[in-house]
Amino acid sequence: MMLAWLILLPVAGGFAAWGAQRWHADAPRYIAIVALAADLFLAIALALQGGGDPWLASLSLPWIPQLGIALRLDLDGLSLVLVVLTLGLGVVSVITSWREITERVGLFHLSLLLTLAGVLGVFLALDLFLFFFFWELMLVPMALVIGLWGHERRIYAAIKFFLFTQGSGLLMLVSILTLVLLHWRASGILTFDYFQLLGQALDPTVAFWIMAGFFVAFTVKLPAVPFHSWLPDAHTEAPTAGSVILAGVLLKTGGYGLLRFVLPLFPDAAAAFAPVAMTLGVISILYGALLAFAQDDMKRLVAYSSVSHMGFVLLGVFAWNTIALQGVVVQMVAHAVSTGALFMIVGFLQERIHTRDLRVMSGLAAHMPRFAALTMVFAIASLGLPGLGNFVGEFMILLGTFAQSRVMTAAAALGLVTAAIYALILIQRALHGAPRSDRHVRDLNARETAVLALLVIVIAGLGVYPQPVLDAAAGGVANVQQARAPRLALGAIAHPEASGLSTAARIVNESAR
């Protein structure tokens, strides 16, 4: 039942925070922090009690047995890393929003904690119907966070976010139902259980199109080009806590879905499609960096940098070897910390100078030395400086991809150069230059400095010694690797310009006929 409590604690804390607003304005904040901190300790306790089994904990209860639907929750190393990341950033988000959110505080924390509960369900559910339930559950409260507490164009951004993610989710539902019905027809067993659906023999053309439904749903959430256009608007208009949760948590559900479902459920189709997916990853890396370079809005710059960084995740997933997959896990954690911190920095700055326009920022380092130092750390982490977490993740992904395609590795490596350009431009335009004589800005306070300093420790620790994350995720990576068909270990992906791409093209052409 401990896995169920991982989801129920944020739900209970959210409703308690909503009701506590009538007693004191700060009561919802304290309740939210206590609920998330307790959940974090519970997750750590589950990690500590895990043995040598790749699956650390499991829970299965009947829900709708007539349809083969169960309340099935399972925790392995991959899930554990993302659960701990979700809860840690949840605590950070509550602290970050302490002064920013002053209206409907209880409802805000209810929406925030329901979003986190939905995300935790996504990372734990291994009944496909239950997984879809949690996938949809996290969308509505997140849309409320953007639409009710966001900035000028918040309604537009919330609707766009909801339509993109809801539409792609319905496409995934069609794929889930198709897979379940085909399994029922072949075996006579109606089930949504992940483990029973693994290894299902499918016609290559059918497998390709079912896999495509999952792939689109997850790459919209990742997001990858060409499904990325909702992200900059959602990030720009969301409150600071909303941006932190979007960048640090919600985007990771896309990468998790690719690792957990697309590769294991459809190994042949995924291997055939890998060259196309890897190409989209490279395009996302370069295109996101190019758009980040062109932004004057500091928040949009950070948002487009997320598209670039998550392109490495897509590339590493479909490189599909142990080094690349381990790099994907490290990259997801490092991106969550560094980009989440940058969104916090933008929020703290906007609260003080009431603008995000880099064209009117100059010499902030003279007024805000602590702010400038912390901004520098996370900006250079974003560009992949050795010794910080992003470098480890991106380097491992490139190393794993090199074994599959040197061309794609070389193209993706250009993303490191473009990241340095936009990160250094952000530093130069915001922090350096002549300070404005008409501006006297207070520096970060103790609470803000402490939160960012903690994230500095995390990103530096991940860069210097990533082994704890690699060890924790090893079981989950092994579970993904076990699904790969031996005959595809080298051939289909090793030369994407040859067999892999032609196979994907053949499947599409056969389907069209």
Side-chain angles (χ1 to χ4, degrees):
M1 286 300 293
M2 292 180 72
L3 292 181
W5 280 111
L6 281 176
I7 300 170
L8 293 175
L9 272 176
V11 175
F15 280 103
W18 187 28
Q21 184 176 1
R22 69 188 67 179
W23 302 330
H24 192 278
D26 287 336
R29 301 182 173 99
Y30 289 112
I31 291 174
I33 288 179
V34 170
L36 292 173
D39 218 19
L40 181 58
F41 285 125
L42 178 59
I44 294 172
L46 282 170
L48 294 177
Q49 75 177 24
D53 193 333
W55 295 99
L56 305 175
S58 181
L59 172 68
S60 183
L61 300 171
W63 186 14
I64 311 176
Q66 297 88 342
L67 299 179
I69 298 172
L71 294 171
R72 170 140 203 176
L73 304 175
D74 292 88
L75 181 74
D76 68 351
L78 176 61
S79 301
L80 174 65
V81 170
L82 296 174
V83 165
V84 172
L85 176 68
T86 299
L87 294 170
L89 286 180
V91 173
V92 168
S93 299
V94 174
I95 297 173
T96 301
S97 63
W98 205 276
R99 295 178 56 179
E100 182 180 6
I101 304 300
T102 57
E103 298 180 355
R104 291 174 287 194
V105 178
L107 181 59
F108 171 81
H109 288 90
L110 171 63
S111 301
L112 190 68
L113 267 66
L114 286 180
T115 301
L116 295 175
V119 172
L120 293 171
V122 165
F123 291 148
L124 295 174
L126 284 184
D127 178 281
L128 267 65
F129 185 87
L130 184 63
F131 172 82
F132 176 76
F133 172 79
F134 284 120
W135 185 267
E136 296 297 299
L137 175 65
M138 65 184 175
L139 302 183
V140 175
M142 190 69 239
L144 287 177
V145 169
I146 299 171
L148 295 180
W149 293 277
H151 301 296
E152 294 82 6
R153 302 178 70 228
R154 58 185 180 272
I155 302 300
Y156 166 79
I159 293 174
K160 190 173 184 179
F161 162 78
F162 186 79
L163 290 178
F164 266 79
T165 51
Q166 175 71 10
S168 63
L170 292 176
L171 185 60
M172 180 174 66
L173 177 61
V174 172
S175 293
I176 290 173
L177 294 176
T178 304
L179 177 63
V180 169
L181 292 175
L182 288 174
H183 180 270
W184 181 34
R185 188 170 67 179
S187 66
I189 300 173
L190 182 61
T191 181
F192 286 79
D193 188 281
Y194 172 81
F195 295 102
Q196 294 192 46
L197 295 172
L198 281 174
Q200 169 70 15
L202 296 170
D203 176 80
T205 302
V206 174
F208 176 84
W209 288 111
I210 298 175
M211 182 275 298
F214 281 91
F215 176 82
V216 170
F218 296 140
T219 49
V220 166
K221 190 63 68 69
L222 196 62
V225 175
F227 310 111
H228 68 288
S229 63
W230 65 269
L231 180 69
D233 292 311
H235 270 315
T236 303
E237 303 305 326
T240 302
S243 293
V244 172
I245 295 301
L246 270 173
V249 176
L250 260 71
L251 303 192
K252 306 307 173 288
T253 61
Y256 170 82
L258 294 172
L259 288 170
R260 178 70 76 208
F261 296 99
V262 171
L263 300 190
L265 288 174
F266 315 102
D268 292 1
F273 188 68
V276 179
M278 293 169 71
T279 301
L280 289 176
V282 172
I283 292 173
S284 298
I285 292 169
L286 300 177
Y287 185 65
L290 180 64
L291 290 179
F293 168 76
Q295 302 305 309
D296 292 317
D297 187 314
M298 191 175 182
K299 206 171 187 183
R300 290 185 76 87
L301 186 154
V302 179
Y304 278 115
S305 76
S306 288
V307 177
S308 182
H309 291 305
M310 296 307 288
F312 280 99
V313 171
L314 182 58
L315 179 66
V317 167
F318 282 90
W320 203 352
N321 55 54
T322 300
I323 293 178
L325 295 179
Q326 289 177 331
V328 165
V329 177
V330 175
Q331 174 70 357
M332 288 197 291
V333 175
H335 172 267
V337 174
S338 61
T339 304
L342 285 173
F343 279 119
M344 292 168 58
I345 285 168
V346 176
F348 295 154
L349 184 61
Q350 185 175 7
E351 180 187 344
R352 286 162 168 79
I353 66 175
H354 308 294
T355 183
R356 302 184 303 263
D357 194 338
L358 287 167
R359 293 169 295 184
V360 300
M361 298 179 193
S362 178
L364 289 176
H367 300 291
M368 309 170 70
R370 287 197 298 273
F371 172 88
L374 290 166
T375 301
M376 179 82 72
V377 171
F378 292 112
I380 62 177
S382 182
L383 64 83
L385 186 75
L388 298 172
N390 297 66
F391 171 79
V392 176
E394 291 171 2
F395 177 79
M396 293 182 70
I397 290 170
L398 292 174
L399 187 62
T401 305
F402 186 82
Q404 312 300 341
S405 173
R406 298 180 181 181
V407 173
M408 290 194 181
T409 305
L414 294 175
L416 302 178
V417 178
T418 51
I421 295 173
Y422 66 70
L424 294 176
I425 285 177
L426 184 151
I427 293 171
Q428 191 274 330
R429 295 177 70 182
L431 304 181
H432 300 294
R436 291 181 50 169
S437 59
D438 61 336
R439 177 180 292 155
H440 300 284
V441 188
R442 58 182 172 83
D443 206 349
L444 299 178
N445 60 33
R447 172 179 54 83
E448 296 163 342
T449 303
V451 172
L452 290 174
L454 177 62
L455 296 181
V456 169
I457 294 172
V458 173
I459 198 69
L462 189 60
V464 174
Y465 188 59
Q467 198 61 43
V469 173
L470 297 176
D471 289 342
V477 171
N479 290 333
V480 176
Q481 282 289 75
Q482 287 171 4
R484 186 168 188 181
R487 67 182 179 277
L488 294 172
L490 295 175
I493 309 180
H495 301 288
E497 60 276 6
S499 60
L501 188 57
S502 62
T503 305
R506 177 180 57 79
I507 292 174
V508 174
N509 291 334
E510 288 177 358
S511 301
R513 289 198 296 269

